[in-house]
């Protein structure tokens, strides 16, 4: 359904497919949503859907920076599924705050 309606889906990889699609979105208004469970539980265990095999926090930060360097007009964004109660180490909350900081610094023009 998503592909039939013009949405782009990439499974298991984020940064390289993003680099390919960003030029096609140049100048267009884009809403970015990030689900914290895209990260491997080693990087963000505090989420409702923990699933091994996710990307690293480094790749996600690089993706945020890639969007910031692009000509995409980010009109809104969110970061969802952060569940601090499932992570007494506060690693997920700390990662989430870093991601939001980088989104704000890079995407707000």
């Amino acid at each position: 359904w998503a592909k039939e309606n013009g949405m782009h889906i990439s499974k298991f990889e984020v940064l390289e497919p993003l680099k390919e699609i960003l030029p096609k979105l140049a100048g267009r208004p884009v809403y970015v949503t990030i689900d914290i469970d895209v990260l491997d539980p080693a990087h963000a265990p505090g989420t409702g859907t923990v699933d091994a095999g996710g990307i690293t926090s480094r790749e996600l930060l690089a993706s945020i920076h890639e969007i910031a360097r692009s000509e995409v007009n980010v009109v809104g964004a969110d970061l969802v599924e952060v569940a601090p109660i499932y992570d007494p180490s506060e690693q997920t909350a700390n990662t989430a705050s870093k991601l939001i900081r980088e989104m704000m610094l890079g995407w707000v023009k």
Side-chain angles (χ1 to χ4, degrees):
W1 182 89
K3 286 183 182 181
E4 291 171 5
N5 288 284
M7 296 179 200
H8 180 80
I9 298 175
S10 298
K11 296 180 180 180
F12 309 113
E13 304 250 343
V14 174
L15 185 56
E16 291 309 313
L18 182 65
K19 287 179 180 180
E20 291 178 27
I21 198 73
L22 284 173
K24 297 174 186 171
L25 299 174
R28 295 177 60 185
V30 174
Y31 187 94
V32 180
T33 187
I34 299 172
D35 192 325
I36 197 77
D37 65 19
V38 70
L39 295 177
D40 190 88
H43 301 276
T47 184
T49 310
V50 178
D51 195 14
I55 68 172
T56 65
S57 56
R58 183 178 186 165
E59 183 177 359
L60 185 51
L61 283 167
S63 299
I64 289 169
H65 294 152
E66 192 68 29
I67 293 169
R69 284 190 295 273
S70 76
E71 298 297 319
V72 170
N73 178 21
V74 178
V75 296
D78 61 34
L79 177 64
V80 299
E81 294 290 328
V82 176
I85 195 164
Y86 296 137
D87 181 7
S89 73
E90 299 183 354
Q91 178 180 352
T92 307
N94 288 333
T95 300
S97 65
K98 169 76 173 182
L99 295 171
I100 291 170
R101 176 182 170 264
E102 295 301 309
M103 290 160 65
M104 292 175 65
L105 288 173
W107 298 350
V108 175
K109 309 263 182 204

